[in-house]
Amino acid sequence: MTLEYLKKATLTAQSGASDVHDIVQGILKDIEEGGDAKALEYAAKFDKYDGNVMLTAEEIAAASALVPQKLKEDIQFAHDNVKRFAEAQKATVSDIEYEIVPGLVAGQKAIPVDAAGCYVPGGRYSHIASAIMTVTTAKVAGCNHITVASPPRPDIGIAPAIVYAAHICGADKIMAMGGVQGVAAMTFGLFDLPEANILVGPGNQFVAEAKRILFGRVGIDMIAGPTDSLILADKSADPHIVATDLVSQAEHGYNSPVWLVTDDRALAEDVMNRVPALIEDLPEVNRDNAFAAWRDYAEVILCADREEMAACSDDYAPEHLTVQADDLPWWLDRLSCYGSLFLGEETTVSYGDKASGTNHVLPTSRAASYTGGLSVHKYMKIVTWQQATREGSKRVAEATARISRLEGMEGHARAADVRLAKYFPGENFDLTPHG
């Protein structure tokens, strides 16, 4: 591809990352050995909060009472959308059985994991939507126990809207504990929680590293880095909307890449001219994040045609991918590497982030080249089973014995031999691989 960079990033998500492995490993080890007391010690140090860790029903009710009714209705609307979409996703996986050969039936079952641990960020921004996305999907999947861990603010606790969202979406326990200590508490089953089978939800670099280290001991949704977004736009796109959408995602954090890929130079230049004023108009924290992200991580790429644009996008494998271009069906059919796709001006990543129904916990840092985002399926184990008649096992036993002997696995072969001898005592079988 002969790409022309009208704006080139000076940093990448990888170059901006800190090596936090040793710190996180040490905290996890301390908490596993020290239990509840050590987790509380780290909570006091990092959360600077000494209130009740496991919220009571009365505390949940009190927090919910602080949420304005209009916001409650919006949270319920978003929850309903996510729930319906998750139910539709769950319906795509069913228990099956299939007769492979006469007398041998195999099948699959979709079984939800028992306990899910959902991390909901609450530091710089109160991620109400993360509570909706993680808890709702776990509930629809059929998890028996769902814990939410969210960082409390000093002398305040968890943001009331997060408490309310987690509660109405189906959380069994809500824990006022953030960071590595919150992840550890869910994993190790502290504070009388069941040990989590899976950890889900976004978080800072320390939370992400904790999940990376714990993966294998527990399941995780994905290993996530800074959020990223790419917009594909042609000459039909509205430059003001394109610029606004780029800035809306850059506010996530100082290291959140945003990319514009287009085949129209005039559009690209127009968008680049609009972005600084849109950033300047944001509130201070948002402005500082968006300014740094645009300065250090953003790229504007000029391509020859739409095929080159699509190829460039697939190479970047963005977490969020927006198409503001003609012939949307062509793009839907052509594009193959993204976490979530937003087709046309009438939808936006912000919709998916908050309320439209698809999940906002998505693969970052090119992980969309091999995985999708959080869904009801992430909480489910697809397991298999089989059952056979004696006649149905006959040919399978012969093949198993011979293949096993060729591999040098005599014990496996004899497990087949004894069945043939028992079920068909009057028959002779050549069970050597070179017969």
Side-chain angles (χ1 to χ4, degrees), residues 329-402:
W330 182 88
W331 295 97
L332 178 60
D333 183 62
R334 169 61 183 81
L335 296 165
S336 62
C337 294
Y338 52 84
S340 194
L341 179 61
F342 300 83
L343 292 164
E345 177 188 295
E346 292 76 16
T347 189
T348 174
V349 175
S350 294
Y351 289 1
D353 278 350
K354 308 303 177 188
S356 61
T358 57
N359 211 286
H360 82 183
V361 182
L362 299 166
T364 66
S365 305
R366 299 193 72 248
S369 63
Y370 63 82
T371 188
L374 180 62
S375 72
V376 68
H377 303 133
K378 290 279 186 177
Y379 301 93
M380 305 185 77
K381 303 172 291 184
I382 307 302
V383 298
T384 58
W385 59 270
Q386 60 184 266
Q387 184 175 1
T389 63
R390 293 185 171 187
E391 190 64 38
S393 75
K394 184 178 184 180
R395 179 68 180 88
V396 178
E398 293 181 79
T400 297
R402 288 191 285 264

Side-chain angles (χ1 to χ4, degrees), residues 125 251 279-291:
Y125 304 121
E251 78 170 349
I279 291 175
E280 188 61 34
D281 194 46
L282 290 172
E284 182 180 2
V285 172
N286 313 63
R287 180 173 67 244
D288 291 346
N289 284 327
F291 176 78

Side-chain angles (χ1 to χ4, degrees), residues 2-7 233-236 239 260-273 300-305 309:
T2 55
L3 306 177
E4 181 181 350
Y5 285 82
L6 303 184
K7 185 182 186 312
D234 64 13
K235 64 181 180 181
S236 69
L260 171 62
V261 177
T262 182
D263 59 357
D264 188 80
R265 184 181 298 273
L267 174 78
E269 292 175 347
D270 194 349
V271 170
M272 291 172 66
N273 288 333
V300 178
I301 304 168
L302 189 63
C303 296
D305 52 35
M309 290 167 62

Side-chain angles (χ1 to χ4, degrees), residues 95-256:
D95 294 353
I96 63 168
E97 61 179 66
Y98 176 73
E99 191 170 37
I100 296 177
V101 296
L104 173 61
V105 177
Q108 81 170 19
K109 286 178 63 67
I111 303 174
V113 301
D114 185 62
C118 302
Y119 190 86
V120 178
R124 185 170 55 217
Y125 304 121
S126 294
H127 282 249
I128 301 165
S130 289
I132 298 170
M133 303 291 173
T134 58
V135 178
T136 303
T137 43
K139 194 71 175 178
V140 170
C143 297
N144 287 324
H145 192 281
I146 303 166
T147 300
V148 165
S150 189
R153 293 174 180 175
D155 303 319
I156 298 174
I158 303 174
I162 289 178
V163 174
Y164 176 75
H167 177 63
I168 69 159
C169 292
D172 295 289
K173 293 290 183 180
I174 302 173
M175 183 169 53
M177 186 174 287
V180 178
Q181 60 274 18
V183 171
M186 294 189 290
T187 302
F188 303 144
L190 305 185
F191 307 105
D192 296 323
L193 293 170
E195 293 183 4
N197 304 116
I198 188 170
L199 298 170
V200 302
N204 63 19
Q205 59 188 337
F206 294 95
V207 169
E209 185 60 25
K211 288 167 66 179
R212 186 198 306 271
I213 291 170
L214 292 166
F215 177 55
R217 178 169 182 164
V218 296
I220 63 172
D221 45 5
M222 66 203 70
I223 296 170
T227 190
D228 59 68
S229 300
L230 188 148
I231 296 179
L232 294 164
D234 64 13
K235 64 181 180 181
S236 69
D238 182 330
H240 181 67
I241 288 180
V242 172
T244 300
D245 285 354
L246 289 169
V247 171
S248 73
Q249 291 302 299
E251 78 170 349
H252 271 287
Y254 73 92
N255 58 351
S256 295

